[in-house]
């Protein structure tokens, strides 16, 4: 979630970049310095880049220097680097400002990027060595987080890693486009930025760095009285380990804290919080609801506490295993049994929280992962680093966003708020994460919980009242999304925003259209409609998945209207794409060409498609989302002879890579390759089917069958008998990488050929789309995708549509939905309101919509078409 939290800083309604604010308002003070003569610079939402002009270009990769600094030392460190690098013409970049610095070093941030305040790009090893030696003296006294991906130089804030200087990309083992470097043979390979230092096999560590590597390797756990057996959890603040005492054999838990890392909202680092946790556990000694403290120590610069090992299961895991509405076979008895268990468990958790209060402690971070349930009935609360004292009336500076109390709660009311959220969390998982977008939503959630779980009405109303607070007013309006809040005081108010499943289709469509158009920002160049954080990648604000093309496609396809000014916005920017824009169907320019053609702008579509073919497109992955199968489908759709030839070439390349039914296709790679419509073999299968429909070549049907069997081989049978994509740690039913997308392509294949083996899988794939609850509403990874994948006339359509009420929110007099992670509203096609609109149009509209290239099979083709050839 860390990348999403960074994009929450700029706007309270939508994901956005800090680049929308003025640099001098959100950046370090050094940004106010005049640009040195002969230098160029660029400021993004995260980084400020500086490079001398008129010099030979930098090498494309090599050894680079990172400077780490805590916030108190950041301005000094950046200033020292500026004053060192500018006279010497050495390129560098630094984080934009304090808010970004805190996020990069926060507890939820990536361990691979934590600590990197400044990056310096030496031209060669000689400049590297000199810069390290001289900066080491200039930066004495500067302290910062250890950069885990790098080798530390001495004991100061300088770190070294081999990696890319220029932005180049290749495919990862999972088929994703990632940053790349050249290996020893000149091939682009992933520029891996992990949490340990490694030297790429095609280069060697400079000799002057060898003593620093030896010093790093000298710190081990061999002298400890504890033998670490297993990593339980990693965060940017440190690790949690299962260990055993070497003498007594007792199983224990070691919790690690890294200095200056894992910052919370108050700026405290992990070490400060760990010392506080040790003090709290000493205060709670002997209490059944808290683990017993055994020891504390320091190793190197890292601090540890040692606690008893509680042999329990996190409440979150029990919830996932037991929650009945995610199973298609759920019946009243399942719901009743779950309700009894959940209510009893909640009462036990509340008793544990109250026991802490009796000892004068406010837990401060209550959520299902911090609650352990043992087989013997013990309930234990873990992770006390943000706990406060009852008498202080304080607030925790770090909390799970679905359980974080608003600013008007302090002291024990923080826990009581989180406990009320937990009561909802066991019946409406993750829904309370949306409350900052519209707090009165909690009253509708209470109604939905009571509706789906008989016997919970009183509990849900009481929990909603706790969450809403004493000043909130409630209102129920049939067929409406509830709006009420502190501004209403004792007045009852309602905004009649239509709710899915209760309101007519045209009302729903028009309400979503109002919200979408109200969010438009045509004055911006980077994006027209707010959506997922992916829209801030190059060209992301234009494309089909997350940009203007997808929104305009949904509006037009559902009859919501045409918007010529917005279409022109898209056309103008698509014809002059920014560097790094994708080429694919959903991530890039071919998808925009497809939408422009659907909008009646054929000449523009053909020009854009022809321009794309002048790029190096044939080395892309095979995936539908961003690779050859999507590109081939778009080219076939446009239908011009030269474009059709290129499309069939794309099909040939995909076929050459495919392999057999049990193989992992080339460019997919990895032990657990991605499956499904957008990133798996179902995408190439769809291209093969359309190519067959164009040529009549029966061999293409054979290829489609092989590709589908590859994806089915990556599926597993769930508890309810449904067939879902197995990602190793979870099963997925969704449109993009789950069973729903595979089912759509399989159904199309079966429209051309009888295949009893594959036909047997289709109803099992579709069964995954008949569950009662999905955590997100979006098209690609949520409920809307299951709606869009329903076969015509499916009797479950109404229930799936009504389920969108869980996530429906008012915006600007219209109806909107949160995007991925539920932290902000989204209007895009893949994750947000446009995708929900499109899905509802597929089952409610007068002219049902279909996802690109998944419309009904063309009529007039024989069931056994191997003898048919197109004239």
């Amino acid at each position: 979630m860390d990348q999403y939290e960074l994009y929450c800083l700029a706007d309270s309604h939508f994901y956005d970049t800090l680049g929308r604010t003025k640099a001098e308002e959100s950046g370090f003070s050094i940004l106010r310095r005049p640009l040195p003569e002969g230098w160029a610079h660029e400021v993004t939402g995260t980084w400020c880049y500086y490079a001398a002009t008129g010099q030979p270009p930098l090498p494309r990769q090599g050894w680079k220097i990172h400077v780490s600094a805590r916030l108190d030392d950041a301005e000094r460190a950046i200033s020292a680097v500026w004053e060192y690098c500018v006279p010497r013409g050495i390129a560098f970049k630094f984080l934009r400002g304090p808010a970004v610095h805190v996020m990069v070093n926060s507890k939820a941030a990536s361990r691979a990027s934590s600590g990197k305040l400044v990056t310096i790009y030496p031209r060669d090893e000689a400049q590297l060595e000199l810069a390290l030696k001289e900066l080491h003296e200039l930066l004495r006294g500067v302290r910062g987080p250890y950069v885990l991906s790098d080798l530390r130089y001495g004991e100061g804030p300088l770190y070294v890693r081999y990696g890319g200087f220029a932005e180049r990309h290749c495919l990862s083992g999972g088929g994703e486009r990632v940053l790349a470097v050249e290996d020893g043979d000149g091939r682009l390979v992933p520029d891996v930025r992990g949490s340990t230092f490694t030297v790429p096999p095609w280069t060697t560590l400079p000799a002057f760095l060898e003593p620093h590597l030896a010093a790093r390797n000298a710190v081990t756990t061999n002298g400890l009285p504890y033998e670490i057996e297993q990593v339980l959890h990693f965060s940017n603040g440190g690790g949690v380990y299962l260990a055993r005492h070497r003498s007594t054999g007792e199983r224990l838990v070691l919790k690690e804290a890294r200095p200056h890392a894992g910052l919370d909202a108050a700026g405290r680092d992990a070490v400060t919080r760990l010392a506080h946790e040790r003090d709290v556990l000493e205060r709670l000694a002997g209490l059944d609801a808290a683990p017993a403290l055994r020891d504390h120590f320091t190793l190197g610069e890292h601090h540890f506490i040692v606690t008893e090992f509680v042999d329990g299961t996190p409440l979150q895991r029990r919830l996932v295993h037991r929650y009945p509405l995610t199973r298609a076979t759920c019946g009243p008895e399942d719901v009743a049994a779950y309700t009894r268990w959940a209510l009893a468990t909640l009462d036990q958790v509340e008793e544990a929280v109250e026991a802490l209060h009796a000892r004068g402690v406010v837990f401060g971070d209550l959520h299902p992962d911090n609650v352990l349930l043992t087989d013997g009935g013990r309930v234990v609360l873990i992770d006390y680093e943000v706990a406060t004292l009852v008498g202080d009336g304080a607030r925790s500076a770090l909390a799970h966003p679905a359980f974080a109390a608003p600013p008007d709660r302090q002291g024990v009311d923080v826990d009581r708020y989180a406990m009320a959220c937990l009561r909802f969390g066991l019946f409406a998982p993750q829904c309370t994460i949306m409350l900052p977008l519209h707090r009165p939503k909690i009253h509708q959630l209470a109604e939905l919980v009571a509706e789906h779980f008989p016997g919970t009405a009183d509990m849900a109303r009481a929990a909603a009242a706790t969450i809403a607070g004493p000043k909130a007013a409630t209102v129920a309006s049939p067929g409406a999304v509830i709006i009420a809040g502190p501004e209403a005081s004792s007045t009852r108010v309602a905004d009649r925003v239509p709710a899915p499943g209760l309101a007519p289709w045209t009302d729903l469509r028009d309400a979503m259209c109002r919200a979408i158009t109200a969010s438009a920002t045509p004055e911006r160049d980077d994006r027209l409609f707010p959506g997922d954080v992916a829209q801030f990648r190059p060209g992301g604000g234009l494309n089909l998945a997350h940009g203007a093309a997808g929104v305009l496609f949904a509006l037009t396809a559902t009859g919501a209207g045409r918007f010529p000014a917005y279409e022109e916005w898209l056309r103008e920017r698509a014809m002059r794409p920014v560097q790094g824009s994708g080429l694919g169907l959903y991530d890039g320019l071919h998808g925009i060409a497809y939408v422009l053609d659907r909008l009646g702008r054929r000449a523009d579509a053909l020009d854009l498609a022809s321009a794309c073919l002048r790029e190096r497109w044939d080395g892309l992955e095979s995936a539908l989302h961003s690779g050859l199968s999507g590109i081939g489908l778009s080219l076939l759709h446009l239908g011009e002879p030269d474009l059709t030839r290129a499309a069939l070439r794309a099909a040939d390349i995909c076929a050459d890579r495919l392999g057999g039914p049990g193989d992992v296709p080339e460019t997919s790679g990895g032990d657990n390759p991605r499956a499904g419509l957008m990133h798996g073999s179902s995408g190439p299968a769809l291209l093969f089917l359309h190519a067959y429909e164009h040529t009549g070549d029966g061999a293409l049907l054979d290829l489609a069958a092989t590709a589908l069997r590859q994806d089915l081989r990556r599926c597993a049978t769930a508890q309810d008998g449904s067939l879902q994509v197995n990602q190793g740690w979870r099963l997925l039913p969704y449109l993009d990488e789950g069973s729903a997308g595979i089912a759509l392509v399989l159904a199309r294949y079966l429209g051309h050929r009888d295949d009893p083996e594959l036909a047997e899988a289709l109803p099992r794939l579709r069964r995954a789309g008949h569950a009662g609850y999905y955590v997100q509403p979006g098209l690609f990874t949520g409920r809307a995708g299951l709606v869009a994948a329903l076969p015509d006339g499916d009797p479950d359509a109404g229930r799936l549509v009504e389920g969108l009420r869980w996530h429906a929110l008012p915006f600007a007099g219209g109806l909107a939905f949160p995007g991925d992670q539920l932290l902000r509203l989204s209007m895009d096609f893949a994750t947000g309101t446009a995708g929900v609109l499109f899905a509802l149009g597929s089952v409610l509209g007068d002219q049902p919509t279909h996802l690109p290239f998944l419309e009904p099979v063309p009529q007039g083709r024989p069931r056994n078409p191997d003898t048919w050839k197109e004239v």
Side-chain angles (χ1 to χ4, degrees), residues 488-530:
S489 187
S490 60
T491 305
R492 297 165 68 87
V493 297
D495 186 343
R496 291 184 175 273
V497 179
L502 302 179
W505 155 242
T506 54
D507 290 354
L508 290 169
R509 181 193 64 194
D510 294 346
M512 285 185 277
C513 181
R514 284 196 300 275
I516 290 170
T517 54
S519 74
T521 54
E523 70 279 3
R524 291 176 62 156
D525 277 331
D526 60 336
R527 60 112 162 124
L528 177 57
F529 302 102

Side-chain angles (χ1 to χ4, degrees), residues 537-568:
R537 298 170 188 162
L542 277 65
N543 65 33
L544 183 53
H546 302 293
V551 176
L552 295 174
F553 172 61
L555 290 170
T556 301
T558 57
R562 292 286 298 274
F563 299 88
Y566 296 158
E567 293 173 13
E568 188 61 24

